[in-house]
Amino acid sequence: ETIISNLFPSAEDRADMYLPARYLSMSLVLMAVGIIAAVFAVLVPEKLLAIAVAVFCLGMGIAEFLCWKNQTIRVLTEDTFEYCTFLGNKKVYRFSDIVGFRRNKDSTTMFVADGKVHMESGAMLSERLIDRLNEQFGADDDDIFDEADEADEAVEAAEE
């Protein structure tokens, strides 16, 4: 029970940006495939491919687990937020330090005065964080995200 409660904190303990449980599931699947590939590498004479798959899957599984566990944003005050990278490094920024953002296919990057803040596209954002970001960019409601979604839909329609 202690492990489960630490993995899935209550709503009050959740960060304002966090990655959902599907990232944990994918990391566990990747690590399981990596372990199976490692066992396969020991048993089969053709080891090169199995070793490569084991290293790749274990590496990606561990990286995804670290992302799921550590990559967060917590709003500290009306003016500041704390960003934690997937490696667990924490840094406090001011919302006024945000100079822009770029929407990528799989993520959004916010540019701050002395760094970048990375948000996966599947990340869960609190209303409080969305409101503060929209205030910073002068947008109404969650327009900051809707505009990018509409642009993505236009690109997808053009590709078809």
Side-chain angles (χ1 to χ4, degrees):
E1 184 174 315
T2 301
I3 293 172
I4 296 299
S5 66
N6 287 338
L7 289 177
F8 299 102
S10 68
E12 296 84 37
D13 296 336
R14 282 264 164 111
D16 291 287
M17 189 237 18
Y18 63 92
L19 297 176
R22 69 176 175 260
Y23 285 80
L24 171 63
S25 301
M26 188 62 185
S27 71
L28 295 175
V29 168
L30 284 167
M31 287 189 275
V33 169
I35 291 169
I36 291 168
V39 169
F40 190 70
V42 171
L43 300 175
V44 175
E46 300 290 326
K47 298 177 188 280
L48 188 58
L49 180 61
I51 291 171
V53 169
V55 169
F56 176 79
C57 287
L58 284 171
M60 291 299 291
I62 291 168
E64 189 150 351
F65 178 79
L66 289 173
C67 282
W68 171 79
K69 186 69 176 152
N70 294 329
Q71 194 170 3
T72 59
I73 294 176
R74 292 185 189 279
V75 175
L76 301 176
T77 67
E78 283 293 309
D79 299 326
T80 61
F81 66 95
E82 178 186 67
Y83 172 61
C84 184
T85 67
F86 84 101
L87 293 175
N89 301 325
K90 294 180 180 180
K91 183 146 186 181
V92 176
Y93 295 104
R94 300 182 68 75
F95 283 102
S96 60
D97 290 341
I98 301 171
V99 294
F101 73 98
R102 179 179 62 220
R103 181 82 177 234
N104 305 312
K105 214 172 181 113
D106 64 341
S107 63
T108 298
T109 303
M110 285 192 309
F111 298 98
V112 291
D114 61 345
K116 296 178 185 178
V117 173
H118 182 81
M119 296 188 295
E120 295 292 331
S121 60
M124 306 300 291
L125 303 177
S126 71
E127 288 296 321
R128 180 170 67 162
L129 179 59
I130 290 171
D131 290 343
R132 290 299 299 130
L133 292 173
N134 286 333
E135 285 175 24
Q136 175 62 27
F137 290 103
D140 295 328
D141 299 325
D142 58 350
D143 290 343
I144 192 170
F145 299 103
D146 287 344
E147 291 173 13
D149 292 339
E150 290 169 6
D152 289 347
E153 290 171 8
V155 169
E156 289 172 6
E159 290 175 348
E160 292 175 355

